[in-house]
Amino acid sequence: TLGITVLAALLACASSCGVPSFPPSLSAHVVGGETAQPHSWPWQVSLCGAGTNNRIYRVALGKHNLEVEDEEGSLFVGVDTIYVHENWNYDLAVNDIALIKLAEHVELSDTIQVACLPEKDSLLPNDYPCYVTGWGRLWTNGPIADELQQGLQRVVDHATCSRIDWWGFMVTEIMVCAGGDGIISACSGDSGGPLNCQLENGSWEVFGIVSFGSSLGCNTRKKPVVYTRVSAYIDWINEVEILVECFQ
Ligand SMILES: *[C@@H]1O[C@H](CO)[C@@H](O)[C@H](O)[C@H]1NC(C)=O
């Protein structure tokens, strides 16, 4: 893996956010993950790594099917700088967040859009329905996805997730848990992907970033996926953004 969790979503720097041109299909009754409506999570990006330490060398935007090289509405952009959180601790999975500055300006389109950032320090209630998206396995023995997958993940509040038979001291307040119903879960390959939560006004925000899960399996009960809670990093993101030019 890349080691650190990079926020694999396009964020900020735009006046409107979180409203896809092609709305996602949200069938709450589907058990397990499902293939997403093409381009319904247009802030989802794919990081292409290569070389000995798997450095990120380009970012794919506007993708649905990773096997189709020249998909309409997609493009590949180089990386200018990667900002890893200065207090990132790999062993404790603390401050597991990084930002990428793209090498070029990207024109937003129907297939490439930005998500909203959550309000600073905001929390979501227990059971709040969010969706994890990614090209990794969404459930144990699920397919290795070519097409973007989505899975319903309900937020597990801190009081529950930090219970001793859940994650105990492994989870702190700067993380957020979601899933853990034993059915759907983010899985290997989803690391860095967004936990997308819809606000009351209909816009989607990236509330979490897939950080770690249980070594017992991708969808172990009482072991929800642990996400970096983006709302705990708004000041950090804004600080980094001062270094990063916004073109809009
Ligand atoms: C919904 O609210 C969020 C956060 O306040 C804001 O960023 C977004 O632009 C709003 N969306 C609409 C469609 O008004």
Side-chain angles (χ1 to χ4, degrees), residues 20-194:
S21 302
F22 308 100
S25 133
L26 306 176
S27 39
H29 304 294
V30 174
V31 173
E34 57 183 326
T35 300
Q37 198 75 356
H39 309 296
S40 61
W41 308 102
W43 43 85
Q44 173 87 48
V45 302
S46 173
L47 306 177
C48 317
T52 46
N53 54 1
N54 213 356
R55 287 174 60 88
I56 300 167
Y57 72 101
R58 59 178 194 171
V59 178
L61 305 107
K63 293 297 294 176
H64 174 64
N65 189 329
L66 291 184
E67 283 298 298
V68 182
E69 176 77 16
D70 53 355
E71 238 178 334
E72 210 182 316
S74 74
L75 56 91
F76 296 89
V77 179
V79 171
D80 177 319
T81 316
I82 301 177
Y83 300 91
V84 177
H85 196 286
E86 51 282 9
N87 297 320
W88 171 54
N89 182 310
Y90 177 81
D91 296 318
L92 299 176
V94 170
N95 301 314
D96 194 8
I97 185 169
L99 286 172
I100 295 177
K101 181 185 179 184
L102 299 177
E104 304 161 39
H105 170 58
V106 171
E107 225 36 82
L108 301 182
S109 66
D110 278 353
T111 53
I112 301 172
Q113 285 163 23
V114 294
C116 301
L117 280 174
E119 217 170 288
K120 183 183 169 182
D121 297 329
S122 62
L123 296 175
L124 291 173
N126 198 46
D127 244 17
Y128 196 93
C130 296
Y131 289 81
V132 65
T133 49
W135 284 278
R137 294 178 197 273
L138 280 179
W139 58 100
T140 309
N141 299 325
I144 298 168
D146 293 334
E147 296 177 300
L148 185 65
Q149 303 291 300
Q150 66 178 46
L152 176 67
Q153 297 271 274
R154 289 185 181 276
V155 169
V156 177
D157 64 14
H158 183 71
T160 307
C161 200
S162 58
R163 282 186 200 154
I164 206 70
D165 55 332
W166 288 61
W167 276 110
F169 296 114
M170 280 292 292
V171 296
T172 66
E173 308 244 15
I174 53 172
M175 303 170 185
V176 62
C177 302
D181 56 7
I183 303 167
I184 312 173
S185 163
C187 221
S188 53
D190 286 320
S191 204

Side-chain angles (χ1 to χ4, degrees), residues 15-19 116-119 199-205:
S15 46
S16 87
C17 59
V19 184
C116 301
L117 280 174
E119 217 170 288
L199 300 166
E200 269 174 18
N201 68 6
S203 298
W204 290 89
E205 63 183 21

